[in-house]
Amino acid sequence: MDYRAQVTNSIMNALNDELSSAVIYEKLERPKDLSMGDLAFPTFVLAKSMHMAPNKIAEDLVNKIDATNYEKVEVKGAYINFFLNKPNFGRDVLTTIIAEGAAYGQNDNGKGGNVPIDMSSPNIAKPMSMGHLRSTVIGNSIAKILTKNGYNPIKDNHLGDWGTQFGKLIVGYKKWGSEEEVRENPIDNLVKYYVRFHKEDQENPELDDEARDWFRKLEDGDEEATYLWKWFREESLKEFNSVYKKLGVGFDTYNGEAFYNDKMDKGINILKEKDLLHESQGASVVDLEKYGLNPALILKSDGATLYITRDIATALYRDKTYNPALNLYVVGSEQTYYFEQLKAVLKEMGVKSAENLHHIPFGLITVNGKKLSTRSGRIILLDEVLDAAIELAGKQINEKNPDLANKDEIARQVGVGAIIFGDLKNERTNNIDFVLEDQLRFEGETGPYVQYSHARAESILRKANNTNYNNSDMLINDANAWETLRILHDFPKVIQSACKDFEPSEIAKYSIRLAKAFNKYYAHSKILVEDQELPARLALVKSVSIVLKEALSLLGVEAPDEM
RNA sequence: GUUACAGUAGCUCAGCUGGAUAGAGCAACGGUCUUCUAAACCGUAGGUCGAGAGUUCGAAUCUCUCCUGUAACACCA
């Protein structure tokens, strides 16, 4: 039921066509305070045309409004405040949620359209750091939100498994490495070679030439180079997958950069056919002046490809394979300019999905204000952070709920939940200066707080003798429950908005609002009391449980029934 | 230097397309477990919304200028 439309109608009927219903609908606002009602109409807009003071307009108008469907309609200053009929509203909301269950809030706006999501994308032979967490977790959540909105997301782990760094890696491995070392501890040792390479090439710049040679060999299909590349890739993936498992994230495809290695000619040919490629200082560029952008470098002066060459191939492939409704790239905000260039180049090429290409940027993670970088050794290992969180969650369980069954698994859900939720709670684009203690908080507005609220709801349902709320009249006469009911009603709207903005934080904030309202209700009203309203109250608790669990699920966070 | 993004309580952040006395969470101080999980709830304290102009009935929110911070800016990704 659209209560905003109902209020709009009430106002329309009291007016003489001074405003269109669309304007009224849009002008209606939600008062901050419950004491000011549920929806409010500010009369300022009418002041000019009616030549009256807003306060006077409000007083006149309220007398013409038919208030029978409301608890009451009141004037306060220039505002007309509508108080909805709480029992009816509550019954509507609860009936809907109980009937729809986890599907509550689902819509079909996406009409099944394919949405490839470029996400996670760790680099082979480098450890996954907190930066990759962001792309992984944001992409994963957006995929779930898209599904809830009727799209068909395709999570693509666009592995960084190609590029000049492999030349460097091979040089490093051959000079200072050994097979045993890599077998024993792949990523640690590969990183060691890589870091050493960067240290030594400052003294011996000819190392860079060697690295370039090796990368050329790799591109040309040289046997040794290819063998090493494959091996490094395989070992790295093993480690990545254990982290993904811990996080509970999966992918539909792992089409890394190498996958597109033999698919780049097509893009280059289109560029040539359309005469978009120009030579500049020995390299090939596309001029983007009409977009207000610098030229995009497509081929290096030695003819080697670049990131963008592969991204063009990727776009062509996705265009052909998926005919995407949306084309998403969850990549750090430092690449915003690059994606503007990519989009412009694709537009010039006439690639269809360029129009629907969205870079979904997220803020940088720093330590003491400094950027992370593998080669300098300034890095936060994702796996270590997750383990620290899981360990702490385990400790908390031993203190608070020592008899809990399945402790390890729940510690994982809570610890990982804290990290994921912490990442998704705030606007994507905020930068984060990493402090471990900040990540390991389980109180206040955190993932565990929301999980705990859900577990409390489930606990009540377990203790209830019968949960036969299906036959309930769903009528609750309790002011303490009102805020919770209102928030439950908002869920479908929040799902749409989060999808439109590609913003998981909207879901996270919503889940906190709901958890907070429910905890308040829980603290002020006794639920398990044998009276007439018990079934309705249980329906409310069940609804809270359903929606909290679903909200967390949209974030990629699990909701244990006990913790 | 150019461009982009940011500047709100001690700290971390919310404040939707401008609207009613600027909100949370941490941290501080105080209160609430013989009764549904205290990872909770309730209260106290804490702010010239970076500065200044402008638009408007009305600005943390829109426009401009300035200050500060971060990032990007051709052979990395």
Side-chain angles (χ1 to χ4, degrees):
Chain A
M1 166 112 205
D2 188 347
Y3 289 91
R4 190 172 270 252
Q6 185 192 321
V7 170
T8 302
N9 255 330
S10 302
I11 295 168
M12 274 301 272
N13 292 337
L15 283 171
N16 301 315
D17 292 331
E18 282 92 347
L19 294 171
S20 72
S21 64
V23 170
I24 299 171
Y25 190 90
E26 194 232 351
K27 279 282 171 190
L28 286 177
E29 49 191 80
R30 169 171 289 189
K32 302 174 186 182
D33 198 307
L34 281 177
S35 69
M36 296 188 284
D38 303 304
L39 281 167
F41 178 65
T43 54
F44 303 103
V45 269
L46 290 165
K48 255 186 193 158
S49 62
M50 293 177 78
H51 301 292
M52 267 160 64
N55 293 22
K56 184 74 172 60
I57 296 172
E59 279 168 32
D60 285 0
L61 207 51
V62 76
N63 292 323
K64 298 184 192 161
I65 287 172
D66 178 5
T68 46
N69 286 323
Y70 302 97
E71 187 178 289
K72 58 180 172 180
V73 182
E74 263 181 9
V75 168
K76 192 165 186 186
Y79 291 84
I80 303 175
N81 294 331
F82 293 81
F83 293 74
L84 300 177
N85 182 308
K86 293 179 173 58
N88 288 348
F89 180 99
R91 185 185 52 209
D92 269 8
V93 173
L94 296 180
T95 308
T96 306
I97 299 174
I98 295 299
E100 297 182 2
Y104 175 59
Q106 170 84 36
N107 68 67
D108 192 35
N109 297 345
K111 299 189 174 70
N114 286 333
V115 184
I117 306 174
D118 195 305
M119 56 182 276
S120 195
S121 313
N123 293 318
I124 297 302
K126 293 191 195 174
M128 276 214 258
S129 80
M130 286 302 284
H132 298 110
L133 173 79
R134 303 217 67 193
S135 176
T136 307
V137 145
I138 292 168
N140 187 52
S141 174
I142 288 175
K144 287 175 188 270
I145 292 168
L146 285 165
T147 302
K148 192 87 179 167
N149 282 273
Y151 288 95
N152 177 40
I154 296 137
K155 293 190 279 182
D156 186 15
N157 195 341
H158 194 67
L159 295 169
D161 57 2
W162 204 251
T164 42
Q165 79 267 23
F166 281 94
K168 296 173 184 176
L169 203 57
I170 292 173
V171 171
Y173 170 75
K174 289 179 78 77
K175 283 201 186 322
W176 313 300
S178 73
E179 192 175 329
E180 302 79 67
E181 271 188 349
V182 176
R183 292 239 180 268
E184 205 171 299
N185 209 337
I187 290 184
D188 277 1
N189 284 308
L190 290 172
V191 167
K192 199 174 77 186
Y193 311 148
Y194 186 74
V195 170
R196 182 159 173 192
F197 179 95
H198 277 282
K199 211 179 274 171
E200 301 219 357
D201 80 336
Q202 297 188 346
E203 308 291 315
N204 310 308
E206 67 272 12
L207 281 175
D208 282 324
D209 297 329
E210 283 185 51
R212 253 193 298 277
D213 282 348
W214 272 107
F215 180 56
R216 278 305 298 265
K217 281 192 196 172
L218 185 57
E219 285 210 302
D220 293 342
D222 174 87
E223 198 180 327
E224 185 182 7
T226 306
Y227 169 78
L228 288 173
W229 171 79
K230 267 193 185 153
W231 180 42
F232 295 159
R233 188 178 189 275
E234 207 173 292
E235 295 293 340
S236 296
L237 268 176
K238 272 188 216 158
E239 286 201 35
F240 295 159
N241 281 330
S242 86
V243 177
Y244 291 137
K245 194 177 167 202
K246 224 174 266 183
L247 280 172
V249 175
F251 299 90
D252 299 302
T253 52
Y254 289 82
N255 295 338
E257 295 176 27
F259 176 80
Y260 298 102
N261 193 35
D262 58 356
K263 300 176 181 61
M264 286 187 286
D265 290 348
K266 194 177 159 197
I268 293 166
N269 287 337
I270 294 175
L271 286 165
K272 281 181 182 158
E273 277 164 28
K274 302 212 168 187
D275 199 27
L276 294 166
L277 229 40
H278 302 293
E279 198 251 280
S280 170
Q281 297 169 35
S284 301
V285 305
V286 174
D287 197 37
L288 299 174
E289 206 167 336
K290 71 171 159 182
Y291 296 89
L293 298 167
N294 293 329
L297 187 61
I298 307 290
L299 291 171
K300 296 198 217 176
S301 43
D302 65 357
T305 60
L306 285 153
Y307 188 46
I308 196 166
T309 330
R310 282 181 286 279
D311 263 348
I312 290 168
T314 307
L316 290 171
Y317 175 84
R318 288 180 182 163
D319 212 51
K320 193 180 105 203
T321 314
Y322 304 120
N323 186 24
L326 296 164
N327 199 359
L328 307 183
Y329 292 80
V330 184
V331 180
S333 57
E334 69 274 16
Q335 291 188 44
T336 299
Y337 190 80
Y338 165 79
F339 275 101
E340 283 176 29
Q341 289 185 314
L342 175 65
K343 188 166 178 169
V345 171
L346 292 171
K347 274 188 187 171
E348 285 296 282
M349 292 171 67
V351 177
K352 209 171 90 195
S353 65
E355 295 297 332
N356 305 321
L357 187 154
H358 296 271
H359 174 217
I360 298 174
F362 54 85
L364 212 57
I365 294 191
T366 53
V367 176
N368 298 322
K370 285 183 188 158
K371 217 180 145 175
L372 302 173
S373 101
T374 308
R375 36 176 105 166
S376 70
R378 193 167 47 246
I379 185 166
I380 307 153
L381 297 174
L382 175 52
D383 210 31
E384 290 178 2
V385 175
L386 292 177
D387 285 345
I390 293 167
E391 193 193 323
L392 183 59
K395 267 189 205 155
Q396 301 261 36
I397 290 169
N398 282 330
E399 275 173 35
K400 295 167 196 286
N401 198 354
D403 300 330
L404 183 65
N406 210 5
K407 278 187 196 172
D408 288 347
E409 171 55 16
I410 290 173
R412 198 204 79 204
Q413 293 184 9
V414 173
V416 170
I419 300 294
I420 295 179
F421 194 95
D423 196 302
L424 296 179
K425 177 177 68 169
N426 293 320
E427 213 178 324
R428 284 189 333 255
T429 48
N430 290 355
N431 293 335
I432 297 172
D433 196 50
F434 183 86
V435 179
L436 185 62
E437 296 76 70
D438 290 350
Q439 304 279 329
L440 300 184
R441 281 218 291 260
F442 296 171
E443 287 168 17
E445 298 176 340
T446 64
Y449 172 81
V450 180
Q451 290 173 318
Y452 177 70
S453 311
H454 168 264
R456 273 182 142 181
E458 280 301 312
S459 173
I460 289 176
L461 296 171
R462 272 195 307 276
K463 294 220 160 100
N465 287 331
N466 64 21
T467 46
N468 189 16
Y469 35 69
N470 287 310
N471 298 326
S472 155
D473 58 4
M474 304 286 188
L475 289 178
I476 295 180
N477 222 323
D478 179 355
N480 290 327
W482 182 234
E483 182 70 3
T484 304
L485 286 165
R486 284 210 316 176
I487 296 172
L488 285 170
H489 175 255
D490 285 344
F491 192 46
K493 252 187 351 204
V494 173
I495 286 169
Q496 295 191 31
S497 174
C499 185
K500 182 171 71 68
D501 301 336
F502 305 118
E503 210 16 300
S505 72
E506 293 181 24
I507 303 281
K509 283 179 197 128
Y510 171 84
S511 73
I512 289 175
R513 269 202 294 145
L514 178 56
K516 215 181 261 188
F518 175 65
N519 278 321
K520 192 168 179 172
Y521 169 64
Y522 179 101
H524 291 91
S525 292
K526 179 87 179 157
I527 293 157
L528 292 177
V529 189
E530 287 294 339
D531 65 12
Q532 205 194 327
E533 286 186 15
L534 176 61
R537 282 196 305 272
L538 289 174
L540 173 63
V541 173
K542 180 65 180 175
S543 297
V544 168
S545 172
I546 289 170
V547 174
L548 282 180
K549 184 167 193 158
E550 185 62 13
L552 286 174
S553 157
L554 290 175
L555 300 171
V557 173
E558 287 160 280
D561 287 347
E562 289 180 73
M563 63 186 269

